[in-house]
Amino acid sequence: MIQSLGAELLESLEEASAATHLIATDGESIFRRTPKLMICICKTPNILSVEWLEKSSIKQQLLDTDDFLLLDNESAEKAYNFSM
């Protein structure tokens, strides 16, 4: 699915800092905290649900990420009790 969209799956921790998008859910749990997630949070604002990948695959193009973000400033501030 990923390759059909012209994207690349980064499997190692060493590659994580090159990520432009991160699928942070496996479709069952909402948010899995992993070492890759911790690295990618510092590198990209595109922390997404798996739904973004599935719908992009159906459309055969990378969709806008806004509707699929797992972390946006407002909800993250509320959930983790901080202010940007």
Side-chain angles (χ1 to χ4, degrees), residues 29-82:
S29 62
I30 293 174
F31 197 76
R32 293 185 58 224
R33 291 183 185 155
T34 65
K36 285 183 196 174
L37 173 68
M38 297 297 115
I39 292 168
C40 290
I41 275 179
C42 298
K43 296 291 187 174
T44 180
N46 296 311
I47 311 297
L48 307 165
S49 69
V50 71
E51 185 181 16
W52 172 79
L53 183 60
E54 293 167 345
K55 289 189 175 184
S56 291
S57 180
I58 290 167
K59 296 275 189 177
Q60 283 299 297
Q61 65 180 9
L62 297 175
L63 299 177
D64 185 66
T65 59
D66 289 346
D67 293 334
F68 304 97
L69 293 172
L70 291 178
L71 287 178
D72 59 57
N73 288 344
E74 188 175 307
S75 62
E77 287 177 5
K78 188 180 286 185
Y80 298 105
N81 196 27
F82 73 94

Side-chain angles (χ1 to χ4, degrees), residues 1-10 20-21 52-53 56 62:
M1 183 178 339
I2 293 170
Q3 290 81 6
S4 70
L5 294 167
E8 179 182 353
L9 176 64
L10 305 177
T20 58
H21 296 72
W52 172 79
L53 183 60
S56 291
L62 297 175

